Amino acid sequence: MDFVSKYQGVVGRVFGNENSSSNEDSYVERLLDRISNGVLAEDRRSAMAELQSVVAESNAAQLSFGAMGFPVLLSVLKEERDDVEMVRGALETLVSALSPIEHAKASKNELQPALMNSDLLSREVESISLLLSLLSEEDFYVRYYTLQLLTALLTNSQNRLQEAILTIPRGITRLMDMLMDREVIRNEALLLLTYLTREAEEIQKILVFEGAFEKIFSIIKEEGGSEGGVVVQVTVFMLVLVNSFFLKHWMQSVNRTTFNLIWCCKQDCLELLNNLLRNNASNQVLLRETIGFDPLISILKLRGSTYKFTQQKTINLLSVLDTINLLLLGGQQTDPGKDTNGLANKTVLVQKKVLDHLLMLGVESQWAPVAVRCMALQCIGDLVVGHPKNRDALASKVLGEEPHVEAALNSILRIILRTSSMQEFIAADYVFKSYCEKNPDGQTMLASTLIPQPHSFLNAPLEEDVNMSFGSMLLHGLILGESDGDLETCCRAASVLSHVLKDNIQCKERVLQIKLEASTSSLEGPEPLMHRMVKYLAIASSMSKDRKASAYGAMYVQPIILKLLIIWLFDCPSAVQCFLDSRPHLTYLLELISDQTATVCVRGLAAVLLGMCVIYNKTTDSGKSAVFSIVDAISQKIGLSSYFLKFDEMQKSLLFTSAKPTLARKPLTRSTAASMSEIEDIDENEYTDQKNEDHPLLVKVLDSQFVFFIKGLEANIREQIVEIYSHPKSQVAVVPAELEQNSGESDMEYIKRLKRFVEKQCLEIQDLLSRNATLAEDLAKTGGNGSSQLEHRTSSGSERVLIETLRRDLHETSQRLETLKSEKARIETEASNHQNLAGKLESDLKSLSDAYNSLEQANFQLEREVKALKSGGAVPIPDIDEIKAEAREEAQKESEAELNDLLVCLGQEQSKVEKLSARLMELGEDVDKLLEGVGDDIGLQDDDDDVDDDEEDEE
């Protein structure tokens, strides 16, 4: 392990020689020399203690140590196991070399020696194996500092150390064994395993296989929620250290985290459990079917004084709520079994009464910290979304004790209307969003309670809503701020109403029938609830212009009311008709779209709302006239280019560009949990600028689902407006004077003049329609940008029609040409196949001829033998001529039969060739050229055979 050369190369490239501290280098070098070459044991131990002290306090010393100290100390760990104090000192020095030193004036770009040392030490797998072997030592401090050293390596070089531990035999098993050690060692091992299992699926599987679930819940049960014994444990730990040689150095190297490990054991267990369950459906199934969820749910039970929430208790509750959230998600987004596993987890959790504990934490325990209440409400939302039985269970839950009981949904609505915490409003609103999503029966049940109440009842103070039904409380919240101009409660109630109405025509129609009484000072009659919401929208707009609105109103009152109106009008013609029944509504929308003081989001949503009045208007004749009047108003008051530009500006805003599908929440670590427990609410002073559209509440309420819905709706609006501009609207026809018959004009001349007039009008109408369609398409595509380009693009409608006709003809001709080409290729293929067949038949004929020649030769040979026998004269010879004649006759018959068959086949093939030749000639192909060379090889071969036969006959 050439540590020195590697490290000096890195340091030389970064610093050069001029910036290194020669004093520190020489001092560290002398100490290392005393450790490696010293004779007296006490002197070597003293040098080790001095080295640890200087490395813990100086960045320069850490840098110098990294350049030359690793081989020396690793040699001590490897070869001097019997000297326990030297091994302790070496481990403690290594921990100091890997721990960053915080300075108030440290620069961000300043090199961190601790990171370099960690990187260097983690490169060698042998070093990690050596450290893991030290865990089997009997000395307490050796095991303790070894775990601290591994934790420091994980903090700085996580991926490399994870890979190294996986390659070491029984590496993870040794770490798991530390969970059964003394409590301080166990806590360090828990912290180490927590870092080790982050984003390491293989290590997670090994830990579960080694029984991690059982050990985690065993430790949690052993802790038992008791915090009183921790002081005794810390005291014992300190007394043990008093007799230690390294007490003074321990006070410098062990930071506050060491004590926190003792206090946060349960938190570390839960964080390790979360790492094992996060994005891992198989581990979740194993936990559900082996240990079960009972030990987890027992942590949610409030024991002792429920009014007392310490910081550690809050952190533990946040951790277990995060665990429940992971179980509700079901696994990784790409896992095909994620939804099935999530539904199974939701079913089991509700069976284990987790909903009761969540309602206690999130709704009934108003003295609980805001972070705990919000996370409990979010878990309730995740528990009911997409699960009909769990939704019904939530709807049937009642809270409180007799006789003061109340439906759980009513209590959650009261939190929305009353809470002063923005985070709690977002979490409670998410419960209603999850409950109403794809739940038409639940939406209808909630909408059925929306019954108009007397004006005096609805204007009662907010504190008197205890005995109200859900609908009465919601209506009360919708109109509560009318008198004093505070529309925050109205805005929150509007958000809940949007969930009740979403994708439910029956609820939309029902709420349209609600009419609210006017105030006693007003002489107006009852008005629909929708008109009252538009009125509040206008009030919020005027308050924003006058700078009287609070930070809340300026940020999200208008967007949320616009969201309600958009959801209400979507696919509901009767709602559109109700909106347009009041003519000032259309005028106000046009003004709001053109209002430069409004935010980009408000102008864009107002443009979408106006477009919905076009695409979802009734299809009767009067409806068509209303549609054309709206489009004409857009063209006259705003202009098509400016109107479409509002869509483009909204799409480019941060709220729309940053919208992404719902992702899993970030892991809850020790630091994030501590920060969450301390934060009571979002600092509203950071969001007082009215132009800031990245407000946390606005991002949550106008979530990615609504943003994608708006994007699809916008495309439909563009298309419909283009369609309307491409067709003339129906109007009363006015008869021109040219259509009257002149005096003295014959009927024939009158008819001809009318015909010319009609033809001229048709041409003009077609040209105008084409121009109109071209203009509308360009505006829809460009959003009004580059009006000068449109002037150059404008062309005659007749030219566009001609171009389209020519393009269509060209396309048809191209298709016909491709068809002819494919037919030609097919015919050529068939001709080639027939030519190959003819060649095969000719080859067969040649083979038959060869057989006949062989028979002739055999016959000639027999004649020669007969003549030889005759010359002998001993045996009576049969009539050779007669035998020859019979053989020749039989052979001739056989050959004639085969020749007849071949001639028939050749005749058939010849007829096919003639037909194919005629077809090829029709297609313009030269048949002679195609047949040129066909059969030449066979002819030449036949000639050669004839020559050979002649030569044999001559012989």
Side-chain angles (χ1 to χ4, degrees), residues 36 73 102 146 273 276 292 318 333 385 407 413 426 454 511 514 535-536 646 711 753 778 805 810 836 887 904 922:
S36 59
L73 296 193
E102 297 181 359
T146 301
L273 178 64
L276 299 178
L318 290 175
Q333 295 291 336
V385 65
L413 177 60
I426 294 173
V511 179
I514 297 177
K535 175 182 176 182
Y536 293 157
K646 300 299 182 293
K711 289 182 179 180
R753 186 166 60 82
D778 290 339
T805 303
L810 178 61
N836 293 334
V904 171
E922 291 177 3

Side-chain angles (χ1 to χ4, degrees), residues 540-549 591-592 595 597-598 690:
S541 178
S542 62
M543 292 173 62
S544 178
K545 290 180 182 179
D546 297 339
R547 305 295 182 184
K548 294 180 180 180
E591 293 176 355
L592 184 59
D595 186 6
T597 62
Q690 294 185 6

Side-chain angles (χ1 to χ4, degrees), residues 101-387:
I101 300 174
E102 297 181 359
H103 292 292
K105 298 182 179 180
S107 174
K108 293 182 179 180
N109 297 328
E110 183 180 350
L111 187 66
Q112 299 293 332
L115 295 179
M116 296 180 64
N117 291 340
S118 300
D119 180 75
L120 184 61
L121 184 59
S122 62
R123 288 182 182 180
E124 300 293 339
V125 179
E126 295 180 0
S127 303
I128 309 302
S129 178
L130 175 62
L131 294 178
L132 290 177
S133 66
L134 293 174
L135 294 176
S136 59
E137 294 292 324
E138 295 182 358
D139 186 73
F140 169 83
Y141 296 99
V142 171
R143 300 195 305 275
Y144 177 75
Y145 288 128
T146 301
L147 290 172
Q148 278 201 332
L149 182 57
L150 291 172
T151 303
L153 282 173
L154 268 175
T155 305
N156 300 327
S157 303
Q158 178 176 342
N159 294 334
R160 187 175 294 171
L161 189 61
Q162 288 173 342
E163 294 174 0
I165 291 179
L166 281 174
T167 60
I168 298 172
R170 297 189 72 255
I172 297 178
T173 304
R174 293 177 183 177
L175 295 177
M176 287 291 294
D177 293 340
M178 294 296 100
L179 295 179
M180 299 294 102
D181 207 321
R182 296 166 60 178
E183 189 163 357
V184 176
I185 298 292
R186 181 197 67 188
N187 294 344
E188 282 289 344
L190 274 175
L191 185 62
L192 175 62
L193 291 173
T194 299
Y195 289 138
L196 192 63
T197 51
R198 290 177 182 172
E199 301 178 0
E201 186 175 356
E202 292 298 325
I203 296 179
Q204 294 171 4
K205 293 179 179 178
I206 296 175
L207 284 180
V208 173
F209 180 77
E210 293 285 344
F213 288 149
E214 291 81 358
K215 292 180 180 179
I216 287 173
F217 286 111
S218 174
I219 295 173
I220 293 176
K221 184 178 180 180
E222 182 181 344
E223 290 291 320
S226 175
E227 300 174 357
V230 178
V231 177
V232 178
Q233 296 164 6
V234 175
T235 304
V236 172
F237 186 49
M238 289 293 297
L239 290 175
V240 173
L241 287 173
V242 167
N243 297 324
S244 172
F245 175 82
F246 293 98
L247 175 59
K248 60 178 180 180
H249 308 296
W250 176 87
M251 294 301 296
Q252 299 171 353
S253 62
V254 180
N255 54 26
R256 229 179 278 175
T257 305
T258 305
F259 294 98
N260 291 337
L261 287 175
I262 304 173
W263 289 82
C264 305
C265 176
K266 185 182 292 185
Q267 178 192 351
D268 291 335
C269 288
L270 293 172
E271 187 174 350
L272 176 59
L273 178 64
N274 293 345
N275 290 345
L276 299 178
L277 298 178
R278 185 174 290 108
N279 298 330
N280 199 319
S282 60
N283 286 353
Q284 293 182 12
V285 172
L286 184 62
L287 175 63
R288 183 178 69 237
E289 296 182 354
T290 55
I291 299 178
F293 297 153
D294 290 326
L296 195 64
I297 297 175
S298 64
I299 305 176
L300 291 176
K301 296 179 181 179
L302 299 178
R303 301 182 179 87
S305 177
T306 56
Y307 295 94
K308 183 179 179 182
F309 282 85
T310 62
Q311 184 185 28
Q312 189 57 51
K313 185 175 183 179
T314 301
I315 292 174
N316 290 341
L317 287 173
L318 290 175
S319 299
V320 72
L321 288 172
D322 187 44
T323 307
I324 293 176
N325 175 256
L326 293 175
L327 294 173
L328 296 177
L329 291 178
Q332 199 169 4
Q333 295 291 336
T334 57
D335 190 349
K338 167 183 173 294
D339 295 335
T340 304
N341 183 53
L343 288 174
N345 289 341
K346 291 177 183 179
T347 303
V348 175
L349 284 171
V350 171
Q351 291 174 354
K352 299 295 184 181
K353 308 297 183 182
V354 73
L355 185 57
D356 296 336
H357 299 297
L358 292 176
L359 288 171
M360 173 62 72
L361 283 175
V363 182
E364 295 186 271
S365 301
Q366 288 301 304
W367 55 86
V370 174
V372 173
R373 299 202 305 268
C374 292
M375 202 161 186
L377 289 170
Q378 289 172 356
C379 287
I380 294 174
D382 292 332
L383 192 65
V384 302
V385 65
H387 200 293

Side-chain angles (χ1 to χ4, degrees), residues 43-110:
D43 182 60
R44 297 180 66 225
R45 293 170 186 170
S46 176
M48 183 71 75
E50 293 179 18
L51 179 62
Q52 188 278 327
S53 178
V54 70
V55 169
E57 297 175 353
S58 171
N59 282 331
Q62 287 185 348
L63 198 63
S64 302
F65 174 82
M68 62 188 81
F70 281 111
V72 175
L73 296 193
L74 290 176
S75 176
V76 171
L77 297 178
K78 187 175 181 180
E79 300 175 359
E80 301 184 32
R81 291 285 186 93
D82 296 337
D83 194 339
V84 177
E85 292 190 8
M86 285 295 294
V87 173
R88 290 182 190 175
L91 289 171
E92 191 176 1
T93 304
L94 289 173
V95 171
S96 300
L98 270 58
S99 302
I101 300 174
E102 297 181 359
H103 292 292
K105 298 182 179 180
S107 174
K108 293 182 179 180
N109 297 328
E110 183 180 350

Side-chain angles (χ1 to χ4, degrees), residues 413 416-417 474 477-478 488-498:
L413 177 60
I416 292 177
L417 300 178
L474 186 59
L478 285 171
E488 180 183 346
T489 304
C490 169
C491 167
R492 296 181 177 186
S495 179
V496 176
L497 182 59
S498 67

